[in-house]
Amino acid sequence: MAEIIATNFGASNAGENSFDEGSYTTSIASSITDYKYEHGRRYHAYQEGRYVLPNDEVEQNRMDLQYHAMRLAFGNKPFFAPVDNDLKRVLDVGTGTGIWVEDMADSYPDAEVYGIDLSPIQPRWSAPKVKYQVDDVEQPWTYPPSHFDLIHTRIMLGSLRDWPFFFTQCLKHLRPGGYIECQELSVDARTDDNSLPEESALTAWCSNQQEGMKKLGMELMVTGDMIKKQMHEAGFVEVEVKEFKIPIGQWPKDPKMRQIGAFQLVAMLEGIGGLTMALWTRFLGWKKEDVEDELVKVKLEMQSKRVHSYWPTYGSPILYLP
C-alpha cells in the first residue's frame, strides 16, 4: 500500500521519521479531500485556490496522456540526468497522478521514491518504497539536508510562483553531486512553416492563458535560455538544456512524431476545458458559455492537418556541486 501523508512543510523541523507514520486511511486529514466544485469540475481542497486546474478523473486522464506524449518525445526516458543505478532517494515535485513515480519505482526498486502534490489523487497501492505526500512545495521543506539523489519536476510553470525559492530548497536537500531535472513545456504554440492562421484561435488561447497566469504570478512561456539563466543564478553548475518539439496533432510525416502528436492532441481535446475554465472565468472575466464557444474554435484548429503546430519543450538535468 502506498503511504500518503498530509504534511505541513512550514510547521516544524521534522526529520526523516516524519514520513513513517500513519496509513492511507488515517494520515489524510478530512479537509484534504473536501474537494471544491466549480462549473462541474472538481478542484483541490488543501491550499484552496493555490492551483487553478481541476483534479478530477478527466484532468487525471489528460495528465497521463501528456506524460506519454513527453515520454515518447524523450526517447522513453524518465530523465536525462547521468545518475548511477544506485539511487537511494528520489523526489517528484507536482507528482499529479503519480505516473512518473510509479515508473521510477519499477525501474529502481531499491530507491525510496517520493511524490508530492496538493491533491491526494495518486494510486492507493504501490511499491513498498513509494511515498506520496500532500503539501505545498512553496513552503520551507522539512526533509533532511542532502537527502535526495535526484529531484524531478515536469510542467510546473503553472504551479510555481517563486522559482528562486524552489531552487534554493532543491540545493539544500540534494546531496552533493545530486541532480535536479526540470522538464517544462512552453505554452507558446509555434510552427516552422507559418501555418498558423493569421487570426489563430490557438495563438489567442495561449495569450489568454499567459495573461491569466501572470495575474497569479506565474509564467507559461519560457525558453531554454531563460531556464538555464535561472538555474545558474540559483547556484547550480553544468546546466544542460535539451530542446524538443511536441506536435499538436497527427500532421507530422515521421511515424514517431505522429504518435507523439496523437497523444498530445487527445490530451488537449479532452483536457482543454480544465486548463481554461477556472483561469478565464476567475481572472479574465469571461463567462462560462463564452469560454466554451472559444474552445470550439481552438479544438477545430488543433485538429486541422494544415496547421503544423507544436509546443516547445525542454529537459534540463542540472548538477549540484557544493
Side-chain angles (χ1 to χ4, degrees), residues 289-303:
E289 296 76 14
D290 294 334
V291 174
E292 291 171 341
D293 289 343
E294 186 65 21
L295 293 186
V296 171
K297 302 173 189 177
V298 180
K299 290 179 181 180
L300 286 173
E301 188 173 309
M302 288 191 295
Q303 293 177 85

Side-chain angles (χ1 to χ4, degrees), residues 91-143:
L91 174 64
D92 184 33
V93 177
T95 196
T97 64
I99 190 169
W100 188 88
V101 166
E102 299 297 318
D103 280 355
M104 285 294 291
D106 288 342
S107 299
Y108 298 89
D110 293 330
E112 292 181 6
V113 188
Y114 296 77
I116 186 168
D117 202 279
L118 289 173
S119 292
I121 57 173
Q122 299 77 37
R124 180 170 179 175
W125 299 96
S126 296
K129 292 193 174 183
V130 166
K131 298 182 180 182
Y132 292 115
Q133 295 170 278
V134 179
D135 215 326
D136 182 356
V137 295
E138 293 201 296
Q139 298 295 320
W141 298 8
T142 58
Y143 301 115

Side-chain angles (χ1 to χ4, degrees), residues 62 111 177 196:
R62 182 201 66 81
L196 280 167

Side-chain angles (χ1 to χ4, degrees), residues 158-196:
S159 303
L160 290 177
R161 291 167 172 80
D162 191 346
W163 283 89
F165 173 81
F166 172 72
F167 289 139
T168 298
Q169 295 298 294
C170 291
L171 279 170
K172 179 180 179 181
H173 298 283
L174 273 174
R175 67 164 176 79
Y179 285 83
I180 174 176
E181 181 158 336
C182 300
Q183 300 172 352
E184 294 299 331
L185 182 153
S186 180
V187 184
D188 181 18
R190 300 179 188 175
T191 68
D192 292 333
D193 58 3
N194 297 315
S195 56
L196 280 167

